[in-house]
């Protein structure tokens, strides 16, 4: 949480006035070389992209940090740019879960399970000890219960996908016009 606050703090500072150095109105601000200030903003941008790779070029952070101004310029890096962060592939033997899965399945990538609880229980008994959540919303019908047998269990997103685990109830409604 602290690194995220640092980025927000930097973006607020530079958005408030790009002529001010970070931190705003600090007694030592005039002693900070402009080149250092610029390099720190570039570092904050790179860190923000590593922290939230799903945002690609993270355009909002780029502009908030003032990296397009006359005093400090840096190229905006696209989602396809080389990044030190690369999604880790799922280990062999992982148990896969999909919102469209079936608990009668084997839990493989081709036949994923639907229940996160069942996947955790199966993974706890496997060598890989990894549950891979496929993209989409995983609605929970009950609390996931983990105990000592689940120690060192790893739950990860499928590379390149964004799973959401929800304690809400999926509504299946048939919308129709009313009083038209």
């Amino acid at each position: 949480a602290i690194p995220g606050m640092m980025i927000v703090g930097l973006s607020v500072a530079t958005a408030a006035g790009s002529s001010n150095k970070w931190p705003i109105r600090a007694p030592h601000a005039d002693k900070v070389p402009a080149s250092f200030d610029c390099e720190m903003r570039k570092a904050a941008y790179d860190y923000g992209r590593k922290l939230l790779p799903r945002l690609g070029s993270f355009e909002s952070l780029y502009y908030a940090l003032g990296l397009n101004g006359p005093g400090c310029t840096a190229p905006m890096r696209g989602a396809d740019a080389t990044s030190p962060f690369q999604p880790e592939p799922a280990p062999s033997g992982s148990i896969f879960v999909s919102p469209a899965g079936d608990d009668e399945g084997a839990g493989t990538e081709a036949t994923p399970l639907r229940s996160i609880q069942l996947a955790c229980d199966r993974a706890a008994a496997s060598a890989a000890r990894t549950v891979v959540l496929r993209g989409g919303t995983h609605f929970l019908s009950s609390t996931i219960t983990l105990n000592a047998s689940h120690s060192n269990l790893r739950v990860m997103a499928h590379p390149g996908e964004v799973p959401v685990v929800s304690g809400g109830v999926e509504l299946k409604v048939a919308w129709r016009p009313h009083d038209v």
Side-chain angles (χ1 to χ4, degrees):
I2 292 172
M5 287 194 283
M6 178 187 71
I7 291 171
V8 170
L10 284 174
S11 64
V12 169
T14 55
S18 59
S19 63
N20 291 330
K21 294 180 184 174
W22 174 258
I24 296 175
R25 293 181 292 283
H28 62 279
D30 292 334
K31 296 178 184 147
V32 177
S35 60
F36 178 80
D37 178 67
C38 181
E39 290 304 315
M40 288 304 294
R41 288 189 274 154
K42 289 177 183 178
Y45 175 62
D46 288 340
Y47 182 73
R49 289 190 60 245
K50 289 177 197 173
L51 194 64
L52 297 169
R54 70 180 180 274
L55 296 180
S57 64
F58 209 162
E59 187 176 358
S60 60
L61 180 61
Y62 175 84
Y63 289 112
L65 290 170
L67 294 175
N68 61 328
C72 183
T73 58
M76 186 184 314
R77 295 185 179 96
D80 59 341
T82 304
S83 168
F85 176 81
Q86 296 297 324
E88 188 176 329
S92 176
S94 296
I95 306 296
F96 289 81
V97 184
S98 169
D102 182 356
D103 286 342
E104 300 299 319
T108 63
E109 192 165 7
T111 58
L113 301 174
R114 182 178 184 95
S115 164
I116 295 175
Q117 180 69 60
L118 181 59
C120 289
D121 294 342
R122 286 194 188 174
S126 76
R129 300 189 66 78
T130 303
V131 174
V132 180
L133 301 178
R134 299 301 308 254
T137 302
H138 297 261
F139 290 98
L140 301 178
S141 57
S142 62
T143 304
I144 298 172
T145 304
L146 304 176
N147 57 39
S149 69
H150 296 95
S151 294
N152 297 317
L153 183 69
R154 182 172 156 205
V155 178
M156 64 179 278
H158 190 279
E161 297 183 9
V162 180
V164 174
V165 178
S166 173
V169 176
E170 182 176 14
L171 299 177
K172 294 181 181 179
V173 294
W175 295 99
R176 60 177 201 246
H178 174 73
D179 215 10
V180 178

